[in-house]
Amino acid sequence: MRLDLCTWQEVDAYLERSSGIIIPVGSTEQHGPMGLIGTDAFCAQAVAEAAADRAHALVAPTLALTPAPFNMAFPGTISISPDLFAALVREVVEGLTRQGFRHLYFLNAHGANIAPLRDAAGDAPGVAIRSWWDFDKVNDLRRKHFGDWEGLHATPSEIAITQATHRTVPPGDAAEPPRQLSTDFIRERAGDRHGPPDEHRRDFPDGRVGAHSALATPEIGREMLATAARAVADDYLAFCSGGDPAVD
Ligand code: NI
């Protein structure tokens, strides 16, 4: 159930039976030749809404403008500073908490959000921060379908989800695999620790970072979405029933 499609009276009634809400967090940035600019926002929102259907939860509007400075040399990317993003998250938490929400579950889809999310809300009582790929069953699926070609950015998994929910862009030159990344490189860049924008575009000219986006299919996207939604719903319900949020 989407918060923005409810009336305030419906939210009031919801709060009589639940104090939980899922807040999707994405990005607005290039995702290679096959990936939509809104890929992360769409993935977070789609998984959140499907999980919320299972868990009878509310879903807040997606936080789609987030830090992605390294992709600013690609047109279409909109990046805000980590400080601004952290301030936004803090105010969302404060506002919802004041209204009676006690279990705020951030569902993230963008590596560069993790550090500022933790800075802003990691210690707040009643806040959980997860990414949709945090769950074993989701990772088993990513490995099974794509192995090392999952890569770091414009991954076939995230593109498969947006193919299932939005549209499929033909691969063109991206039918060819990208340059393969070393394990060291992948470890160093976890959480989107990429360099300055011009350097990043020079090193990864079509925007893919070790990810063979063309392996994505809408069928895999539907499977990925359903698997992630089940995992998130279970985790969200466990979080909400986890007793005193002050110690969560
Ligand atoms: Ni992404």
Side-chain angles (χ1 to χ4, degrees):
M1 196 175 16
R2 278 172 49 169
L3 176 81
D4 57 357
L5 295 177
C6 292
T7 66
W8 75 262
Q9 287 96 337
E10 287 167 338
V11 177
D12 206 32
Y14 173 88
L15 281 165
E16 295 289 315
R17 65 166 179 85
S18 173
S19 65
I21 187 164
I22 303 177
I23 306 161
V25 192
S27 77
T28 302
E29 62 171 350
Q30 74 83 13
H31 269 79
M34 296 183 66
L36 311 179
I37 297 284
T39 295
D40 292 344
F42 297 148
C43 288
Q45 182 164 349
V47 175
E49 287 184 10
D53 282 349
R54 300 179 68 90
H56 307 291
L58 267 185
V59 179
T62 303
L63 306 183
L65 296 181
T66 62
F70 40 86
N71 272 325
M72 283 301 281
F74 293 91
T77 301
I78 300 176
S79 177
I80 65 171
S81 71
D83 285 351
L84 178 60
F85 174 58
L88 173 69
V89 168
R90 272 193 293 272
E91 296 199 18
V92 168
V93 169
E94 280 168 20
L96 290 172
T97 303
R98 210 172 301 134
Q99 292 170 358
F101 289 94
R102 293 286 176 269
H103 295 88
L104 278 55
Y105 188 101
F106 285 91
L107 183 65
N108 174 54
H110 175 59
N113 292 342
I114 296 171
L117 266 174
R118 286 188 181 143
D119 283 352
D123 295 331
V127 170
I129 298 169
R130 307 278 193 270
S131 299
W132 66 263
W133 55 77
D134 279 344
F135 303 92
D136 288 346
K137 286 197 171 141
V138 176
N139 277 313
D140 291 347
L141 214 51
R142 295 166 89 199
R143 255 192 307 275
K144 178 182 106 176
H145 286 299
F146 308 124
D148 289 345
W149 282 128
E150 176 71 347
L152 282 186
H153 185 66
T155 68
S157 294
E158 59 185 346
I159 287 173
I161 291 175
T162 63
Q163 288 177 340
T165 56
H166 289 77
R167 72 186 179 105
T168 299
V169 179
D173 291 345
E176 295 300 315
R179 176 161 63 83
Q180 205 154 15
L181 305 176
S182 70
T183 325
D184 283 351
F185 182 97
I186 292 172
R187 198 175 318 115
E188 279 163 24
R189 302 297 174 102
D192 280 343
R193 287 195 297 272
H194 301 298
D198 290 340
E199 217 172 90
H200 189 58
R201 182 160 174 172
R202 182 200 64 207
D203 292 347
F204 300 97
D206 75 2
R208 295 176 298 172
V209 182
H212 196 352
S213 315
L215 301 178
T217 68
E219 291 72 29
I220 297 176
R222 281 189 280 277
E223 187 186 9
M224 198 74 70
L225 184 52
T227 303
R230 270 194 300 274
V232 168
D234 290 350
D235 187 51
Y236 166 81
L237 288 171
F239 166 63
C240 287
S241 63
D244 181 6
V247 296
D248 218 307

